[in-house]
């Protein structure tokens, strides 16, 4: 007997196009997105309007950044035959749903989102005291529920936005009838990657290794990296768990080799130079097919826009069906 297989669950996630992606983005998110494309019905959005909420003074740069994100995505193996890769602002239904959701979202819910006040404080050089910036999580909720997503793979910093999405969904469904499922955050254990200065790898710290960096650039970034400060001399033993370089080993070096290196570090059997050599070797092994795919796509930039446009069409189809249901529920 053949039971009909359960329909695949839907995944949605998004990236703000504000610059190229780095190894931390890969380990923290993209690596999982690539796996999910074989397991779920996946929608991955380049969220241009979210980028605009903080970068409206650089609006003209957002299109180029979007292109870079698409190249990064394709180069790490996101496959347009397996998942929908699209541009948020090309699916106008997101804006309509954002408007409708905003009608039922009480202001205090937005004001108490922890990222809101933090960002206002952190990005003081930008004028973020805007209506659009306060509504950022409502737009995010629209992104998620317009595809009726079950799972939202995001880092911990975004968990509050998914929680708010659930609250908005409950309120909307109570008023207009059950239309949207409540999405769940998919928190994956994320090995935190350190950047070249030992702090968390981040574009804004200027300490990132980018997916598009060349082998030479990466070598120049990794070789001078700070290590466990106990290893003043080659003969001083160290502790890999206190070493920023070892966060890269944890992400890119096979477990048995990692264990060997950790022992070597603790017994001063291996020097930091050689240890960095090992991580570079494995990084390059991972990056070679990534660079190869990038090279092929960069020869045909028009292909990138075609892939995104095909994704926009697929996304629109789903988003339009949902909006038809929503307007119906409103009696419009
Ligand atoms: N706010 C997310 C971030 O900064 C980006 C984003 C926008 C998103 N819409 C989304 C993430 C929908 C997941 C689902 O990373
Ligand atoms: Fe870090 Fe490796 Fe040096 Fe140990 S040997 S301190 S893990 S770089």
């Amino acid at each position: 007997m053949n039971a009909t297989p359960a329909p695949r669950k839907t995944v949605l996630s998004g990236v703000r196009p504000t610059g190229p992606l780095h190894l931390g983005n890969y380990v923290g998110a993209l690596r999982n997105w690539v796996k999910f494309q074989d397991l779920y019905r996946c929608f991955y959005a380049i969220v241009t309007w979210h980028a605009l909420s903080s970068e409206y003074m650089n609006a003209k740069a957002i299109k180029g950044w979007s292109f870079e994100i698409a190249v990064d995505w394709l180069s790490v193996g996101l496959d347009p035959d397996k998942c929908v890769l699209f541009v948020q602002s090309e699916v106008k239904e997101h804006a309509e749903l954002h408007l409708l959701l905003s009608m039922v979202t009480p202001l205090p819910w937005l004001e108490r989102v922890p990222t809101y006040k933090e960002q206002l404080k952190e990005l003081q050089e930008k004028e973020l005291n805007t209506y659009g910036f306060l509504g950022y999580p409502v737009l995010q909720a629209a992104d998620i529920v317009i595809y009726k997503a079950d799972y939202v793979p995001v880092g911990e910093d975004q968990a509050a936005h998914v929680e708010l999405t659930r609250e908005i969904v409950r309120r909307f469904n109570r008023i207009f009838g059950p239309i949207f499922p409540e999405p769940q955050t998919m928190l994956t254990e994320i090995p935190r990657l350190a950047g070249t200065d030992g702090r968390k790898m981040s574009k804004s710290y200027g300490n990132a290794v980018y997916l598009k960096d060349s082998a030479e650039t990466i070598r120049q970034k990794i070789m001078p990296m700070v290590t466990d400060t106990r290893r003043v001399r080659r003969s001083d033993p160290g502790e890999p768990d206190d070493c920023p370089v070892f966060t890269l080993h944890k992400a890119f070096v096979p477990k048995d080799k990692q264990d060997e290196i950790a022992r070597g570090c603790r017994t001063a059997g291996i020097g930091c130079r050689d240890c960095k050599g090992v991580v570079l070797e494995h990084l390059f092994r991972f990056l070679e097919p990534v660079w190869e795919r990038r090279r092929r796509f960069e020869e045909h930039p028009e292909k990138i826009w075609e892939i995104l446009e095909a994704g926009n069409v697929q996304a629109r189809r789903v988003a339009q069906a949902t909006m038809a249901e929503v307007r119906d529920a409103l009696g419009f």
Side-chain angles (χ1 to χ4, degrees):
M1 289 273 271
N2 271 335
T4 12
R8 285 202 297 178
K9 297 279 190 184
T10 299
V11 162
L12 178 128
S13 200
V15 172
R16 287 169 357 108
T18 54
L21 298 177
H22 53 66
L23 293 180
N25 301 129
Y26 175 74
V27 170
L30 283 182
R31 177 142 76 183
N32 289 315
W33 293 17
V34 174
K35 283 191 212 135
F36 296 156
Q37 57 183 356
D38 292 311
L39 303 173
Y40 308 109
R41 175 172 169 256
C42 296
F43 294 87
Y44 298 130
I46 298 173
V47 289
T48 36
W49 282 326
H50 280 105
L52 194 62
S53 72
S54 57
E55 299 296 326
Y56 56 88
M57 296 303 284
N58 298 316
K60 290 230 161 65
I62 292 175
K63 186 165 179 182
W65 286 330
S66 301
F67 181 84
E68 287 212 57
I69 300 282
V71 177
D72 284 335
W73 278 2
L74 294 163
S75 73
V76 298
L78 285 182
D79 179 348
D81 290 330
K82 295 181 175 176
C83 59
V84 179
L85 306 175
F86 73 103
V87 178
Q88 179 194 45
S89 51
E90 292 300 312
V91 184
K92 312 295 181 198
E93 287 75 11
H94 288 233
E96 186 185 0
L97 186 55
H98 167 244
L99 177 75
L100 298 179
L101 296 181
S102 78
M103 302 299 172
V104 303
T105 306
L107 265 184
W109 290 10
L110 296 175
E111 285 160 348
R112 67 169 184 249
V113 171
T115 47
Y116 178 63
K117 288 203 177 88
E118 277 164 31
Q119 296 265 52
L120 273 190
K121 230 189 289 151
E122 239 170 75
L123 305 174
Q124 284 205 5
E125 75 282 9
K126 297 184 179 150
E127 169 56 285
L128 293 181
N129 233 320
T130 61
Y131 176 53
F133 192 70
L134 180 66
Y136 182 108
V138 184
L139 181 57
Q140 184 163 351
D143 297 341
I144 295 167
V145 304
I146 207 163
Y147 302 100
K148 302 193 177 184
D150 300 290
Y151 303 130
V152 185
V154 284
E156 242 166 310
D157 60 316
Q158 293 292 312
H161 290 176
V162 180
E163 195 43 55
L164 179 71
T165 301
R166 294 161 63 85
E167 287 178 283
I168 296 175
V169 161
R170 283 196 287 271
R171 187 159 155 83
F172 190 95
N173 287 349
R174 217 180 312 117
I175 300 172
F176 300 111
I179 294 186
F180 298 121
E182 280 181 43
Q184 282 174 37
T185 307
M186 192 145 63
L187 273 182
T188 33
E189 11 66 74
I190 296 171
R192 280 242 176 269
L193 272 203
T196 49
D197 59 358
R199 290 186 292 172
K200 179 187 158 196
M201 189 179 290
S202 160
K203 187 176 60 116
S204 45
Y205 293 156
N207 65 0
V209 175
Y210 292 96
L211 287 166
K212 65 172 191 180
D213 282 348
S214 68
E216 200 32 49
T217 303
I218 296 178
R219 193 183 302 280
Q220 282 167 7
K221 286 181 176 179
I222 303 285
M223 288 315 288
M225 238 178 109
V226 281
T227 62
D228 177 14
T229 48
R230 293 179 189 87
R231 299 209 69 180
V232 182
R233 280 179 226 92
R234 168 68 179 78
S235 54
D236 296 328
E239 176 45 58
D241 287 331
D242 297 333
C243 174
V245 180
F246 201 70
T247 64
L248 293 163
H249 289 76
K250 283 185 184 150
F252 294 102
V253 176
K255 188 71 172 77
D256 51 340
K257 187 74 190 170
Q258 256 180 58
D259 292 344
E260 185 192 317
I261 298 261
R263 269 195 307 278
C265 177
R266 290 184 182 116
T267 57
I270 185 175
C272 291
R273 276 192 66 81
D274 291 339
C275 181
K276 288 171 174 171
V278 171
V279 87
L280 282 174
E281 178 195 325
H282 285 88
L283 257 180
F284 294 161
R285 202 174 293 174
F286 154 68
L287 284 169
E288 250 143 46
V290 175
W291 289 326
E292 174 56 26
R293 279 189 292 258
R294 174 182 299 275
R295 205 182 47 70
R296 287 210 312 272
F297 279 114
E298 281 178 346
E299 278 171 20
H300 300 285
E302 72 288 351
K303 271 228 175 92
I304 304 288
W305 294 117
E306 278 169 31
I307 287 170
L308 290 177
E309 186 43 37
N312 297 339
V313 169
Q314 283 178 278
R316 252 176 235 138
R317 207 156 29 226
V318 179
Q320 283 168 359
T322 304
M323 285 316 294
E325 251 185 279
V326 169
R327 291 182 209 120
D328 196 50
L330 264 57
F332 276 23

